[in-house]
Amino acid sequence: MTVTANSPRAYREVEGEREMARKTIHKRQSSALASRARRARAVAAAGSVEQALEAGSLPRFAELTLAEALVLGLLRQGVRTFVAVFGHGSTDLGEVLRVYQEAGAVRTLNVRHETAASHAAAALRWVTGEKAAVVTSIGPGALHALAGSLVAASDRLGVWYLFGDETTEDEGFNMQQIPKHEQQVFLRLCSAMGEAYCLHTPGSIATALNRGLLAVDHPHRAGPFYLLLPMNTQPARLRRFNLAELPGGNPPPLGAAADAAAYRQAAVALRKARRVVVKVGGGGRFAGPELLEFLELVDGVAVLSPLATGAIAFAHPRNMLVGGSKGSICGNYAMEESDLLVAVGTRAVCQSDCSRTGYPGVKAVVNINTERHDLLHYGRTVALLGDAALTLRELNGVLRSCKAAPRQGESAWLRRCRARRREWEAFKRKRFSTPCLFDERWKGNVLTQPAAIKAATDWARKNGVVAFFDAGDVQANGFQIVEDDRPGCTFTETGASYMGFAVSALLATAMAGKPFYGLALTGDGSFTMNPQILIDGVEHGATGCILLLDNRRMGAISALQEAQYGQVYATADEVEVDYVRLAGAVKGVKAISGGRTVAELTRALEQARGHQGLSLIHVPVYYGPDPLGGLGAFGRWNVGNWVEETQALRHRIGL
Ligand SMILES: Cc1ncc(C[n+]2csc(CCOP(=O)(O)OP(=O)(O)O)c2C)c(N)n1
Ligand SMILES: [Mg+2]
């Protein structure tokens, strides 16, 4: 009988061959799995890849898959925590992580939304400096995480993103890829947000990891790094891969600015000036001692970006607190009246410099920054390219050596600024002493946001609790109120102002090497963007409290619409939500009603703190026209129907 291609005998023969092949593959996979587990145990036992290599427990040459080389490379860089929503685009990486977790070398936190994963990883880096990687599938999951990574990009937080990607053989469309007949569309998308690399070829792994190291561990301008993992290269085998190729170490930071002429020029300009304002951005957060000396030397006052609260003590006489579109009476006065601006580590975001109209009387700028674009943002600038603290130290030395005549008592500038600060404190006090107002929607007296935030942040400060702020009125009122004396007390995500960041950030409490307790101040709008924290927080042991200030609307936007057009539109709904029951439905979450008075709220916070894990306090808050219900806005902003006037002013100032 002739054996044709589709005869029963031919079929049996082919099946037999297949079975043999399956057995061979299975045997190879079992032995590969055993060697993988051995490598994982060696790294875990030695404490690091380097030590394991040095001890010889981890052989220098190994046969491993690209996904495993990636995990070893990340371990080499101190990335041990992975926050993941797995999908068909990342199963191979998942299998590697499973084995390494079993050995105790890594930890994966599986969560329910990729944006929340990104927020948690960003918060971890921000609060503790520890690194994490966000792992997603291809397509929608990656896009969720990419959106969330706007926080890492805006606030300069080094975070790894490991995204599943389409196969490199282009055998046809992959489910969830961007449906275009083009190469590397995800890569192009990610590259617009930050630095990105596609692991198209296994041999490129060391270079990819080095690019990531430079982005994530950049000493001044860290950010997200997107590593795209094609589904067919993740399991590709690297034969005799040299583990010594995996990059490590830290990119070196800049020192003090090196330009002696610029220091002299700055000193001359500062001596001529009468009203110096020092704007401190995120880059100046840790330059407190140098700033204090500088302020005395130049008779200046400081205005802080929301990111930099605590750079100098709240009560310091030269601290004029925040300034900008929301701002404060004293901060905005100092900006408005100054004749010389010293910009320290700031990128002049619209909210903090009134869309470039913040300094109408400034004749000269001394700018200290590590980034050239930010450094030369304003005109008439003496540019000092260098680290904020180190450069200020040098500049202080130059100023001291100028031996100016000692000042007699308080200058007129400081006196006027301090009078405005007293005005601001009285303005706030008036609101804090009227903590409750009648609210139409709640049909009764409820707390105002300022009163609730003041009580909660005072409580947090007293108890060493880290406060996170979500977007909206909650955030704006928050940075107008906080009374930080040092950096690291408040984390307000004003870079991207991403609704849902604060509540998601609480997962970082479960990821940190040294545990901490977090308080997420959030609005009803922001909380419902990322309620997944209720489940993920319980699953992974988050320790913190969600303080939900519920005004039954997206209040910040209603208020903006009202201020601009006198009409509120589509920023509220009529659905009543019982958030205490909603949170209480998740086993492990302590759900508390926060009441309608400061005393009740403080009791609820104590009760929450007494609970080991995650809690949620619901507080109905006032929304309405009473000026005592908010903290006001004091600056200009290039949005809505303010655009024409703001832009005209910007060009008139011409800074
Ligand atoms: C993800 C996201 N979408 C939209 C916005 C624009 N936005 C800023 S604040 C805000 C409303 C916030 O509402 P809520 O959290 O309830 O706080 P409230 O202003 O009411 O205190 C919106 C829609 C944003 N910042 N982030
Ligand atoms: Mg709201």
Side-chain angles (χ1 to χ4, degrees):
M1 186 178 106
T2 50
V3 181
T4 59
N6 50 7
S7 71
R9 205 171 120 203
Y11 179 76
R12 276 198 304 278
E13 273 174 20
V14 172
E15 263 308 288
E17 276 166 30
R18 276 207 192 132
E19 186 51 32
M20 293 251 299
R22 254 184 242 133
K23 278 191 181 141
T24 320
I25 289 173
H26 183 72
K27 226 165 101 187
R28 209 173 56 201
Q29 279 179 346
S30 316
S31 112
L33 183 61
S35 353
R36 176 178 287 172
R38 262 198 307 280
R39 283 188 289 272
R41 284 195 299 271
V43 173
S48 73
V49 173
E50 265 166 304
Q51 280 165 310
L53 280 172
E54 224 163 86
S57 52
L58 185 64
R60 192 162 145 199
F61 291 93
E63 174 165 333
L64 37 61
T65 65
L66 179 59
E68 188 182 347
L70 167 61
V71 170
L72 279 167
L74 289 171
L75 278 168
R76 169 83 178 82
Q77 296 185 28
V79 182
R80 290 183 194 84
T81 310
F82 297 78
V83 199
V85 180
F86 290 116
H88 78 283
S90 50
T91 51
D92 199 72
L93 175 60
E95 168 60 12
V96 177
L97 290 173
R98 181 189 70 78
V99 175
Y100 274 71
Q101 177 152 344
E102 216 165 82
V106 303
R107 178 176 172 213
T108 296
L109 294 91
N110 54 311
V111 297
R112 292 179 181 240
H113 198 293
E114 295 84 354
T115 303
S118 175
H119 291 337
L124 179 74
R125 192 76 207 262
W126 209 354
V127 178
T128 72
E130 291 162 76
K131 288 179 276 188
V134 175
V135 183
T136 77
S137 190
I138 176 178
L143 292 175
H144 275 169
L146 178 64
S149 72
L150 188 64
V151 170
S154 305
D155 299 304
R156 298 189 177 165
L157 303 165
V159 176
W160 281 89
Y161 291 86
L162 313 177
F163 295 163
D165 197 7
E166 60 216 47
T167 56
T168 53
E169 288 208 354
D170 273 336
E171 64 274 15
F173 276 130
N174 293 139
M175 181 176 70
Q176 300 182 326
Q177 80 169 78
I178 295 170
K180 290 179 84 178
H181 292 280
E182 285 176 34
Q183 281 184 300
Q184 308 282 24
V185 190
F186 280 121
L187 183 66
R188 276 185 275 147
L189 213 53
C190 293
S191 303
M193 183 77 87
E195 285 184 57
Y197 196 96
C198 175
L199 276 176
H200 51 82
T201 303
S204 68
I205 179 69
T207 302
L209 283 162
N210 202 38
R211 299 253 176 103
L213 173 80
L214 294 175
V216 171
D217 289 332
H218 192 294
H220 307 293
R221 204 187 166 77
F225 185 75
Y226 310 94
L227 196 49
L228 273 54
L229 316 175
M231 293 178 287
N232 63 325
T233 63
Q234 288 176 50
R237 252 195 305 276
L238 291 149
R239 291 171 214 285
R240 272 186 72 75
F241 179 70
N242 186 347
L243 292 174
E245 272 190 56
L246 299 174
N250 288 308
L254 280 179
D259 185 343
Y263 283 108
R264 279 196 301 276
Q265 252 182 300
V268 170
L270 283 161
R271 229 169 345 154
K272 263 210 296 213
R274 321 235 106 193
R275 299 180 301 281
V276 174
V277 68
V278 181
K279 185 53 159 300
V280 186
R285 255 182 317 155
F286 299 108
E290 291 79 8
L291 276 168
L292 289 180
E293 185 184 3
F294 180 72
L295 290 169
E296 292 301 330
L297 284 166
V298 302
D299 185 30
V301 293
V303 177
L304 311 175
S305 312
L307 280 196
T309 55
I312 63 171
F314 172 74
H316 193 279
R318 293 186 184 273
N319 189 352
M320 293 303 126
L321 310 173
V322 288
S325 304
K326 282 294 277 183
S328 67
I329 294 172
C330 44
N332 281 40
Y333 173 81
M335 287 168 63
E336 207 73 17
E337 296 297 318
S338 60
D339 64 355
L340 188 143
L341 163 66
V342 181
V344 182
T346 168
R347 67 182 170 103
V349 173
C350 62
Q351 267 223 345
S352 90
D353 88 338
C354 299
S355 304
R356 216 165 177 154
T357 68
Y359 311 97
V362 152
K363 296 186 186 69
V365 178
V366 174
N367 201 333
I368 302 173
N369 209 297
T370 52
E371 211 277 329
R372 280 159 208 275
H373 293 90
D374 297 337
L375 190 63
L376 295 167
H377 173 75
Y378 300 109
R380 307 195 284 277
T381 289
V382 180
L384 291 165
L385 179 72
D387 172 82
L390 299 176
T391 302
L392 275 172
R393 212 175 290 170
E394 287 291 310
L395 185 56
N396 287 343
V398 174
L399 290 166
R400 275 197 307 269
S401 71
C402 290
K403 295 207 178 65
R407 260 194 319 275
Q408 302 300 315
E410 199 173 75
S411 68
W413 171 234
L414 182 58
R415 204 166 45 247
R416 287 210 303 271
C417 286
R418 292 188 64 187
R420 290 310 176 107
R421 167 93 199 245
R422 282 194 295 276
E423 210 180 298
W424 175 237
E425 294 303 332
F427 177 93
K428 285 189 291 180
R429 239 184 345 262
K430 195 160 164 203
R431 278 140 185 87
F432 302 150
S433 59
T434 317
C436 300
L437 292 173
F438 181 82
D439 184 89
E440 293 294 339
R441 284 206 151 192
W442 293 108
K443 308 258 179 288
N445 276 1
V446 292
L447 280 167
T448 64
Q449 276 207 15
I453 293 170
K454 167 76 170 150
T457 51
D458 281 354
W459 176 85
R461 205 170 50 253
K462 214 168 72 200
N463 290 283
V465 166
V466 174
F468 296 101
F469 278 93
D470 249 318
D473 277 346
V474 180
Q475 179 166 56
N477 286 321
F479 62 65
Q480 287 172 311
I481 288 173
V482 291
E483 300 184 4
D484 297 347
D485 285 330
R486 56 175 180 82
C489 306
T490 302
F491 293 86
T492 185
E493 201 286 285
T494 45
S497 201
Y498 209 124
M499 291 167 75
F501 172 79
V503 292
S504 308
L506 289 181
L507 192 65
T509 63
M511 295 155 72
K514 226 173 84 198
F516 67 95
Y517 191 88
L519 175 69
L521 293 101
T522 190
D524 50 314
S526 296
F527 171 68
T528 43
M529 289 262 173
N530 287 109
Q532 304 84 2
I533 185 62
L534 294 177
I535 301 166
D536 299 333
V538 171
E539 170 70 10
H540 301 295
T543 50
C545 173
I546 299 162
L547 179 59
L548 201 172
L549 303 181
D550 182 8
N551 54 11
R552 293 242 177 110
R553 59 172 59 248
M554 308 244 180
I557 311 305
S558 302
L560 202 55
Q561 293 172 328
E562 181 80 48
Q564 293 184 338
Y565 303 98
Q567 297 290 341
V568 173
Y569 174 64
T571 44
D573 56 50
E574 296 302 321
V575 183
E576 286 184 24
V577 181
D578 184 339
Y579 288 101
V580 175
R581 273 183 63 200
L582 187 140
V586 181
K587 197 169 167 187
V589 174
K590 187 171 178 66
I592 308 168
S593 170
R596 297 185 174 210
T597 64
V598 168
E600 284 174 294
L601 170 58
T602 312
R603 251 197 319 276
L605 286 162
E606 288 298 337
Q607 234 183 308
R609 188 70 185 88
H611 174 64
Q612 284 301 312
L614 189 66
S615 37
L616 179 144
I617 300 175
H618 174 259
V619 182
V621 290
Y622 171 81
Y623 179 86
D626 193 322
L628 295 181
L631 282 162
F634 304 92
R636 293 166 292 273
W637 207 4
N638 198 19
V639 296
N641 60 1
W642 299 328
V643 163
E644 207 175 314
E645 204 179 310
T646 311
Q647 288 183 173
L649 179 61
R650 177 217 160 165
H651 294 300
R652 209 156 55 241
I653 296 167
L655 185 63

